[in-house]
Amino acid sequence: MRAIGCRMNLPAVLNGLLVSVVAALLWKYVRLIEHTSQLEEELQLTRQSQEFSQVRIDYHGALLALQEHGTRMVCTGKMHTDRICRFDYLCYCTEAEEFVFFHSNASVMLPNLGSRRFQPALLDLSSVEDHNTQYFNFLELPAAALKFMPKPVFVPDVTLILNRFNPDNLMHIFHDDLLPIFYTMQQYSDLDDEARLVFMEGWSEGPHFDLYRLLSSKQPLLKEQLKSFGKLMCFTKSYVGLSKMTTWYQYGFVQPQGPKANVLITGNEIRQFASVIMERLNITREEGDGYIVVFKRTTNRLILNEAELLLALAQEFQIRTVTVSLEEQSFENIIQIISGATMLISMHGAQMITSMFLPRGAAVVELFPYAVNPEQYTPYKTLASLPGMDLQYVAWRNTQEENTVAYPDRPWDQGGIVHLEKEEQERILASKEVPRHLCCRNPEWLFRIYQDTMVDIASFLELLREALKKPNLKKVKVASTVHPGRVREHKCQSSVQATNEAKLSVSWQIPWNLKYLKVKEVKYEVWIQEQGENTYMPYILPHLNYTFSENIKPFTTYLVWVRCIFNKNLLGPFADVLVCKT
């Protein structure tokens, strides 16, 4: 019976072995198929990643780095308004339209603000300060969640992620975007010509997209384009945010518009930027006797007697007068012409930002329609007045209502007012000056700024004669903005003359850099403060020593500060405080 049982089980054993072998082969085949599929997927994702760039990427290595190390963030700046952050492996979900920070044990988040990150944001994506449409933040997930998400597409380039503020408007393009981008890229060595710009505000390219292309050899990416590359985009190395150091104007979101309270840029930096733009546009500044340029507008805010104005200018200044138009000429052609002009004349408008390309010594003449006060709208006056721009600025205002043509029947965003209550329409029509207001839809401002104007030639020429004393056709010498260093070898001596009388002598040597400079006027500022008091006595002195007796008391300790001043307004640092006892 046992022998029969063994013989009966042998086929079953062989059958079981065959099933096991087949199952093992099938399992290996399935794993091979899965591995092949994974390799094909990674290859496809690698191809997608390299659609962005010629930079080669090890997809498997990048994915492993993201899974094991997560996202890393290190920021500069104390507040969201001055913060720029560098990220490794910051991701963006195109479906949710959210940035994602993946946490692992190796993640870095500096500063780690906790919930303060939402008060109101981590940073501003735009150079326009603290605007609630420009805030940046991210969602957080554990790196383990990547197992359940679409495979990421990696962007291998170093990227600068930001918002353009208004790419339809030249003033905003230069002031809010191009200048801040250019100098933000100067701050970080890896944001070079090979870096890629990523615009997240959601606008289309806009009419001047070629200007953005000048800042990098890589094609900029728009938010809408990211969706075509994948559901989860991961930037291997990125910088987020823009420097605000280059902006000089605020647009009236919180208070009426005007120059920023703390302007940190000078004309020298703006002129360097303008030179780079001209070089990348292959523009060479025209040399010669110069000419007058009048900006021509074709749809609104027209100069109704433009031909008469051109003739009067040519006769008055005996030089050629030409017109330029954004609607009729290329931007490159306009900058080529403006770069050789001695005077630029234009109605108030975004086109006046091109005055940054004028040569030193040129004049900027801004025309304002009836009831618009030039002192309330000064972006171009502020630009022209920056130290180192070396431009003359003149504002002309139409004061004669009969020389204006208004358009109350137009749409509201082109100055129309028919949508308003009749009483409000009548008030606006009777008003002699637009009151100060906040941005951006004040109907009285829009009504007045979109008026056409007949320029009163006589008063206009008289204003130019008085303000300019003929345009300056010669190159001006660049004003020095070099500040003095600390005074050296400063010391004090005291003597008591009587029980209620004492003298305090303070001396010092010139700053070290002064011996290498030609400075018209050098003076010294001395502060003397009695120890324990809150007030001090200031003095401006022309010499390297001085003996003080007025208000100097015997047997008293005084704190003394000394600094140098060049040309009345270039202040040096105070030397270390002197402690002087009488």
Side-chain angles (χ1 to χ4, degrees):
M1 292 290 292
R2 287 179 186 169
I4 293 171
C6 289
R7 284 197 298 270
M8 290 178 65
N9 285 336
L10 182 60
V13 169
L14 291 174
N15 188 53
L17 286 171
L18 181 61
V19 169
S20 297
V21 170
V22 171
L25 289 172
L26 284 172
W27 181 81
K28 285 187 175 182
Y29 177 75
V30 169
R31 291 301 305 272
L32 182 62
I33 292 296
E34 288 177 351
H35 184 62
T36 302
S37 177
Q38 183 179 354
L39 287 175
E40 288 178 350
E41 184 181 19
E42 289 188 4
L43 183 61
Q44 175 61 24
L45 290 166
T46 300
R47 290 195 190 103
Q48 285 180 260
S49 294
Q50 292 190 197
E51 285 182 30
F52 293 107
S53 172
Q54 297 303 312
V55 177
R56 297 194 65 81
I57 186 167
D58 174 5
Y59 183 87
H60 184 71
L63 182 60
L64 193 63
L66 176 59
Q67 291 170 336
E68 292 185 356
H69 302 296
T71 307
R72 301 168 67 88
M73 176 191 88
V74 179
C75 304
T76 60
K78 293 183 178 180
M79 304 293 292
H80 74 279
T81 53
D82 65 351
R83 190 172 287 139
I84 296 175
C85 295
R86 174 188 158 159
F87 289 87
D88 292 335
Y89 295 102
L90 175 68
C91 296
Y92 179 73
C93 177
T94 57
E95 287 184 326
E97 297 189 348
E98 295 278 5
F99 283 95
V100 184
F101 185 107
F102 286 103
H103 282 279
S104 77
N105 291 334
S107 293
V108 173
M109 186 186 288
L110 285 175
N112 197 326
L113 299 171
S115 61
R116 288 177 294 159
R117 183 160 61 82
F118 309 106
Q119 300 172 359
L122 177 64
L123 55 82
D124 292 334
L125 269 178
S126 162
S127 69
V128 176
E129 188 166 313
D130 205 21
H131 193 291
N132 60 7
T133 65
Q134 308 299 315
Y135 291 155
F136 169 85
N137 243 314
F138 50 74
L139 301 180
E140 298 173 76
L141 285 173
L146 285 161
K147 297 176 183 177
F148 310 103
M149 300 180 71
K151 285 288 181 69
V153 174
F154 290 98
V155 181
D157 302 313
V158 179
T159 56
L160 176 59
I161 299 171
L162 62 120
N163 277 1
R164 297 174 298 166
F165 190 68
N166 182 355
D168 288 341
N169 180 289
L170 267 181
M171 167 65 185
H172 290 298
I173 288 171
F174 276 91
H175 179 267
D176 306 327
D177 299 343
L178 298 181
L179 259 167
I181 292 169
F182 179 79
Y183 279 109
T184 299
M185 295 176 75
Q186 299 282 306
Q187 288 181 242
Y188 304 98
S189 59
D190 46 355
L191 283 176
D192 55 18
D193 185 54
E194 297 296 312
R196 191 182 295 276
L197 303 176
V198 181
F199 303 140
M200 296 302 300
E201 77 292 325
W203 290 74
S204 61
E205 287 188 354
H208 302 288
F209 199 63
D210 283 344
L211 292 174
Y212 295 94
R213 291 189 177 102
L214 297 176
L215 300 181
S216 168
S217 61
K218 304 284 180 65
Q219 171 75 2
L221 290 175
L222 301 176
K223 178 181 179 180
E224 191 62 30
Q225 292 174 319
L226 299 182
K227 295 179 181 179
S228 64
F229 290 105
K231 295 182 178 180
L232 186 64
M233 310 288 301
C234 290
F235 301 92
T236 55
K237 183 185 289 186
S238 59
Y239 292 84
V240 182
L242 283 179
S243 170
K244 297 180 176 65
M245 290 190 293
T246 61
T247 57
W248 64 84
Y249 206 73
Q250 58 84 18
Y251 301 120
F253 298 116
V254 178
Q255 59 186 14
Q257 65 169 274
K260 288 175 63 176
N262 185 24
V263 177
L264 300 176
I265 193 169
T266 72
N268 294 321
E269 289 78 38
I270 291 174
R271 287 195 173 279
Q272 288 181 42
F273 162 79
S275 294
V276 171
I277 295 297
M278 289 178 63
E279 180 182 335
R280 294 180 183 179
L281 288 171
N282 296 315
I283 293 172
T284 303
R285 192 179 296 278
E286 292 191 10
E287 301 291 341
D289 294 334
Y291 41 83
I292 296 173
V293 173
V294 176
F295 244 113
K296 178 181 179 181
R297 297 175 67 103
T298 59
T299 56
N300 54 51
R301 220 173 302 166
L302 307 180
I303 299 173
L304 296 172
N305 56 338
E306 183 180 279
E308 182 185 356
L309 177 63
L310 293 170
L311 180 61
L313 288 166
Q315 292 175 341
E316 175 70 22
F317 295 105
Q318 294 298 299
I319 55 176
R320 186 162 51 104
T321 304
V322 298
T323 62
V324 295
S325 168
L326 287 172
E327 293 87 356
E328 298 172 356
Q329 291 164 267
S330 70
F331 185 79
E332 292 91 331
N333 182 236
I334 290 172
I335 297 307
Q336 177 75 68
I337 294 169
I338 287 175
S339 70
T342 56
M343 188 187 302
L344 175 63
I345 299 173
S346 174
M347 294 298 295
H348 173 80
Q351 70 281 351
M352 292 203 71
I353 194 64
T354 57
S355 60
M356 69 168 61
F357 296 97
L358 284 167
R360 297 182 190 275
V364 180
V365 184
E366 187 171 10
L367 313 181
F368 288 84
Y370 177 75
V372 178
N373 186 344
E375 292 304 313
Q376 296 178 15
Y377 311 96
T378 61
Y380 313 110
K381 177 182 179 180
T382 305
L383 169 61
S385 304
L386 290 175
M389 279 306 294
D390 300 313
L391 296 173
Q392 305 173 78
Y393 176 85
V394 181
W396 176 86
R397 173 183 182 179
N398 178 24
T399 58
Q400 302 176 41
E401 190 170 7
E402 62 270 20
N403 284 350
T404 192
V405 177
Y407 298 92
D409 296 327
R410 283 181 174 173
W412 71 267
D413 58 348
Q414 297 173 33
I417 56 173
V418 291
H419 64 289
L420 301 174
E421 296 289 339
K422 188 170 182 60
E423 185 179 338
E424 178 65 4
Q425 292 184 45
E426 291 173 352
R427 186 198 66 77
I428 290 174
L429 290 169
S431 174
K432 304 298 182 185
E433 182 173 307
V434 179
R436 286 191 176 274
H437 57 89
L438 296 180
C439 187
C440 300
R441 299 188 176 191
N442 182 282
E444 186 171 350
W445 151 252
L446 293 171
F447 173 70
R448 291 302 184 187
I449 199 59
Y450 279 111
Q451 297 171 119
D452 297 337
T453 301
M454 180 81 68
V455 175
D456 182 72
I457 303 292
S459 68
F460 180 65
L461 293 180
E462 182 60 33
L463 175 69
L464 293 186
R465 291 187 201 106
E466 183 62 29
L468 301 178
K469 307 297 184 186
K470 299 283 184 178
N472 183 3
L473 303 183
K474 296 181 180 179
K475 289 184 178 180
V476 299
K477 187 176 181 180
V478 180
S480 173
T481 55
V482 176
H483 289 256
R486 297 175 186 270
V487 300
R488 299 172 299 122
E489 300 176 25
H490 57 307
K491 56 189 176 182
C492 60
Q493 292 180 322
S494 62
S495 60
V496 176
Q497 310 298 311
T499 55
N500 61 350
E501 184 181 346
K503 291 184 178 181
L504 180 64
S505 297
V506 183
S507 63
W508 55 89
Q509 295 299 314
I510 65 170
W512 175 81
N513 63 336
L514 180 55
K515 61 184 178 181
Y516 299 103
L517 298 171
K518 290 183 179 180
V519 181
K520 288 183 179 179
E521 183 181 42
V522 179
K523 291 192 176 180
Y524 298 91
E525 185 174 15
V526 179
W527 293 3
I528 300 178
Q529 182 183 50
E530 184 178 336
Q531 192 170 48
E533 297 295 323
N534 293 325
T535 59
Y536 60 87
M537 298 174 287
Y539 302 88
I540 301 293
L541 306 170
H543 307 300
L544 297 175
N545 56 74
Y546 197 81
T547 299
F548 303 90
S549 56
E550 186 178 356
N551 298 320
I552 302 298
K553 298 184 287 190
F555 314 113
T556 305
T557 299
Y558 290 94
L559 305 179
V560 180
W561 294 266
V562 185
R563 68 176 169 184
C564 183
I565 305 174
F566 289 171
N567 301 330
K568 297 182 181 179
N569 62 352
L570 295 173
L571 306 178
F574 279 111
D576 294 339
V577 61
L578 292 173
V579 180
C580 309
K581 297 181 180 179
T582 57

